[in-house]
Coordinates of all heavy atoms in Angstrom, one line a residue:
Y1428 N 65.5 -21.4 -42.2 CA 66.7 -21.1 -42.9 C 67.4 -22.1 -43.6 O 68.7 -22.1 -43.9 CB 67.7 -20.4 -41.8 CG 68.0 -21.4 -40.7 CD1 69.0 -22.3 -40.8 CD2 67.3 -21.3 -39.5 CE1 69.3 -23.2 -39.8 CE2 67.6 -22.2 -38.4 CZ 68.6 -23.1 -38.6 OH 68.9 -24.0 -37.5
G1429 N 66.7 -23.2 -44.1 CA 67.1 -24.1 -44.9 C 67.7 -25.4 -44.2 O 68.3 -26.3 -44.9
H1430 N 67.6 -25.5 -42.9 CA 68.1 -26.7 -42.2 C 67.4 -28.0 -42.7 O 66.1 -27.9 -42.6 CB 68.0 -26.5 -40.7 CG 68.7 -27.5 -39.8 ND1 68.5 -28.9 -40.0 CD2 69.6 -27.4 -38.9 CE1 69.3 -29.5 -39.1 NE2 69.9 -28.6 -38.4
P1431 N 68.0 -29.0 -43.1 CA 67.3 -30.1 -43.7 C 66.3 -30.8 -42.7 O 65.3 -31.3 -43.1 CB 68.4 -31.1 -44.1 CG 69.6 -30.6 -43.5 CD 69.5 -29.2 -43.3
D1432 N 66.7 -30.9 -41.4 CA 65.8 -31.5 -40.4 C 64.6 -30.7 -40.2 O 63.5 -31.2 -40.1 CB 66.6 -31.6 -39.1 CG 67.6 -32.7 -39.1 OD1 67.7 -33.5 -40.0 OD2 68.4 -32.8 -38.2
H1433 N 64.7 -29.2 -40.3 CA 63.6 -28.4 -40.2 C 62.6 -28.5 -41.3 O 61.4 -28.6 -41.2 CB 64.0 -27.0 -40.0 CG 64.8 -26.7 -38.8 ND1 65.2 -25.4 -38.5 CD2 65.3 -27.5 -37.9 CE1 65.9 -25.4 -37.3 NE2 66.0 -26.7 -36.9
I1434 N 63.2 -28.7 -42.5 CA 62.4 -28.8 -43.7 C 61.6 -30.1 -43.7 O 60.4 -30.2 -44.0 CB 63.3 -28.7 -45.0 CG1 63.9 -27.4 -45.2 CG2 62.5 -29.2 -46.2 CD1 64.9 -27.3 -46.3
H1435 N 62.3 -31.2 -43.2 CA 61.7 -32.5 -43.1 C 60.6 -32.5 -42.1 O 59.6 -33.2 -42.2 CB 62.8 -33.6 -42.7 CG 62.3 -35.0 -43.0 ND1 62.1 -35.5 -44.2 CD2 62.1 -36.0 -42.1 CE1 61.7 -36.8 -44.1 NE2 61.7 -37.1 -42.8
A1436 N 60.8 -31.8 -41.0 CA 59.8 -31.7 -39.9 C 58.6 -31.0 -40.5 O 57.4 -31.4 -40.1 CB 60.3 -30.9 -38.8
N1437 N 58.7 -30.0 -41.4 CA 57.6 -29.4 -42.0 C 56.8 -30.5 -42.8 O 55.5 -30.5 -42.7 CB 58.0 -28.2 -42.8 CG 57.0 -27.8 -43.8 OD1 56.7 -28.4 -44.9 ND2 56.3 -26.6 -43.4
R1438 N 57.5 -31.2 -43.6 CA 56.8 -32.2 -44.4 C 56.1 -33.3 -43.7 O 55.0 -33.7 -43.9 CB 57.8 -32.8 -45.4 CG 58.4 -31.8 -46.4 CD 59.6 -32.4 -47.1 NE 60.1 -31.4 -48.1 CZ 61.3 -31.5 -48.8 NH1 62.1 -32.6 -48.6 NH2 61.7 -30.6 -49.6
L1439 N 56.8 -33.7 -42.6 CA 56.2 -34.8 -41.8 C 55.0 -34.2 -41.1 O 54.0 -35.0 -41.0 CB 57.3 -35.2 -40.7 CG 56.9 -36.1 -39.6 CD1 56.2 -37.4 -40.2 CD2 58.0 -36.4 -38.6
T1440 N 55.0 -33.0 -40.5 CA 53.9 -32.5 -39.8 C 52.6 -32.4 -40.7 O 51.5 -32.7 -40.3 CB 54.2 -31.2 -39.2 OG1 55.4 -31.3 -38.4 CG2 53.0 -30.5 -38.4
C1441 N 52.9 -31.9 -41.9 CA 51.8 -31.7 -42.9 C 51.2 -33.0 -43.2 O 49.9 -33.2 -43.3 CB 52.3 -31.0 -44.1 SG 52.7 -29.2 -43.9
A1442 N 52.0 -34.0 -43.5 CA 51.5 -35.3 -43.9 C 50.7 -36.0 -42.8 O 49.7 -36.6 -42.9 CB 52.7 -36.3 -44.4
A1443 N 51.3 -35.9 -41.5 CA 50.7 -36.5 -40.4 C 49.4 -35.8 -40.0 O 48.4 -36.5 -39.6 CB 51.6 -36.5 -39.1
A1444 N 49.3 -34.6 -40.1 CA 48.0 -33.8 -39.9 C 46.9 -34.3 -40.8 O 45.8 -34.5 -40.4 CB 48.2 -32.4 -40.0
D1445 N 47.2 -34.5 -42.1 CA 46.3 -35.0 -43.0 C 45.9 -36.4 -42.7 O 44.7 -36.8 -42.7 CB 46.7 -34.9 -44.5 CG 46.9 -33.5 -45.0 OD1 46.1 -32.6 -44.4 OD2 47.7 -33.2 -45.8
A1446 N 46.9 -37.3 -42.5 CA 46.6 -38.7 -42.3 C 45.9 -39.0 -41.0 O 45.1 -40.0 -40.9 CB 48.0 -39.5 -42.3
A1447 N 46.1 -38.2 -40.0 CA 45.5 -38.5 -38.7 C 43.9 -38.4 -38.8 O 43.3 -39.1 -38.0 CB 45.9 -37.4 -37.7
A1448 N 43.4 -37.7 -39.7 CA 41.9 -37.5 -39.9 C 41.4 -38.7 -40.8 O 40.1 -38.8 -40.8 CB 41.6 -36.3 -40.4
I1449 N 42.1 -39.6 -41.3 CA 41.6 -40.5 -42.2 C 41.4 -41.9 -41.5 O 42.4 -42.5 -41.0 CB 42.6 -40.7 -43.4 CG1 42.8 -39.5 -44.2 CG2 42.1 -41.9 -44.3 CD1 43.8 -39.5 -45.2
G1450 N 40.2 -42.3 -41.3 CA 39.9 -43.5 -40.5 C 40.5 -44.7 -41.0 O 40.9 -45.6 -40.2
A1451 N 40.7 -44.9 -42.4 CA 41.3 -46.0 -42.9 C 42.8 -46.1 -42.7 O 43.4 -47.2 -42.9 CB 40.9 -46.2 -44.4
Y1452 N 43.4 -45.0 -42.3 CA 44.8 -44.9 -42.2 C 45.2 -45.4 -40.8 O 44.8 -44.8 -39.8 CB 45.5 -43.5 -42.4 CG 47.0 -43.5 -42.1 CD1 47.8 -43.9 -43.1 CD2 47.5 -43.1 -41.0 CE1 49.2 -43.9 -42.9 CE2 48.8 -43.0 -40.7 CZ 49.7 -43.4 -41.7 OH 51.1 -43.4 -41.5
R1453 N 45.9 -46.6 -40.7 CA 46.4 -47.0 -39.4 C 45.4 -46.9 -38.3 O 45.6 -46.3 -37.2 CB 47.7 -46.2 -39.0 CG 48.9 -46.4 -39.9 CD 49.3 -47.8 -40.0 NE 49.8 -48.3 -38.7 CZ 51.1 -48.3 -38.3 NH1 52.0 -47.9 -39.2 NH2 51.4 -48.8 -37.1
P1454 N 44.3 -47.8 -38.5 CA 43.3 -47.7 -37.4 C 43.9 -48.3 -36.0 O 43.3 -48.0 -35.0 CB 42.2 -48.8 -37.9 CG 42.9 -49.5 -39.0 CD 44.0 -48.6 -39.6
D1455 N 45.0 -48.9 -36.2 CA 45.6 -49.5 -34.9 C 46.3 -48.3 -34.1 O 46.7 -48.4 -32.9 CB 46.7 -50.5 -35.2 CG 47.8 -50.0 -36.1 OD1 47.4 -49.3 -37.3 OD2 49.0 -50.1 -35.9
A1456 N 46.5 -47.1 -34.7 CA 47.1 -46.0 -34.1 C 46.0 -45.0 -33.4 O 46.4 -43.9 -33.0 CB 47.9 -45.1 -35.1
G1457 N 44.8 -45.5 -33.2 CA 43.9 -44.7 -32.5 C 42.8 -44.2 -33.4 O 42.8 -44.3 -34.6
E1458 N 41.8 -43.6 -32.7 CA 40.6 -43.1 -33.5 C 41.1 -41.8 -34.3 O 41.9 -41.1 -33.9 CB 39.5 -42.6 -32.5 CG 38.8 -43.8 -31.7 CD 38.1 -44.7 -32.7 OE1 37.4 -44.2 -33.6 OE2 38.2 -45.8 -32.6
P1459 N 40.5 -41.6 -35.4 CA 40.9 -40.5 -36.3 C 40.7 -39.1 -35.5 O 39.8 -39.0 -34.6 CB 39.8 -40.5 -37.4 CG 39.4 -42.0 -37.5 CD 39.4 -42.4 -36.1
W1460 N 41.5 -38.2 -35.8 CA 41.5 -36.9 -35.2 C 41.8 -35.8 -36.2 O 42.7 -35.9 -37.0 CB 42.4 -36.7 -34.1 CG 42.3 -35.4 -33.5 CD1 43.2 -34.3 -33.6 CD2 41.3 -34.8 -32.7 NE1 42.9 -33.1 -33.1 CE2 41.7 -33.4 -32.4 CE3 40.2 -35.3 -32.1 CZ2 40.9 -32.6 -31.7 CZ3 39.4 -34.4 -31.4 CH2 39.7 -33.1 -31.1
Q1461 N 40.8 -34.8 -36.4 CA 41.0 -33.8 -37.3 C 41.7 -32.5 -36.8 O 41.0 -31.8 -35.9 CB 39.6 -33.4 -37.9 CG 39.7 -32.2 -38.9 CD 40.5 -32.5 -40.2 OE1 39.9 -33.4 -41.0 NE2 41.6 -31.9 -40.4
V1462 N 42.9 -32.3 -37.0 CA 43.6 -31.0 -36.7 C 42.9 -29.9 -37.4 O 42.6 -30.1 -38.6 CB 45.0 -31.1 -37.0 CG1 45.8 -29.7 -36.8 CG2 45.8 -32.2 -36.3
R1463 N 42.7 -28.8 -36.8 CA 41.9 -27.7 -37.4 C 42.8 -26.7 -38.2 O 42.4 -26.3 -39.3 CB 41.2 -26.9 -36.3 CG 40.1 -27.6 -35.6 CD 39.3 -26.8 -34.5 NE 38.5 -25.9 -35.3 CZ 37.3 -26.2 -35.8 NH1 36.8 -27.3 -35.7 NH2 36.7 -25.1 -36.4
S1464 N 44.0 -26.5 -37.7 CA 44.9 -25.6 -38.4 C 46.3 -25.9 -38.2 O 46.7 -26.4 -37.1 CB 44.7 -24.1 -37.9 OG 43.4 -23.7 -38.2
L1465 N 47.1 -25.6 -39.2 CA 48.6 -25.6 -39.2 C 49.2 -24.2 -39.2 O 48.7 -23.4 -39.9 CB 49.2 -26.4 -40.3 CG 48.7 -27.9 -40.4 CD1 49.3 -28.4 -41.7 CD2 49.3 -28.7 -39.3

Side-chain angles (χ1 to χ4, degrees):
Y1428 57 85
H1430 192 301
D1432 287 347
H1433 296 184
I1434 293 171
H1435 195 67
N1437 166 277
R1438 296 168 179 170
L1439 172 57
T1440 304
C1441 292
D1445 289 336
I1449 300 172
Y1452 177 81
R1453 294 299 298 266
D1455 57 311
E1458 293 295 318
W1460 177 257
Q1461 177 66 69
V1462 174
R1463 299 183 64 83
S1464 294
L1465 297 173

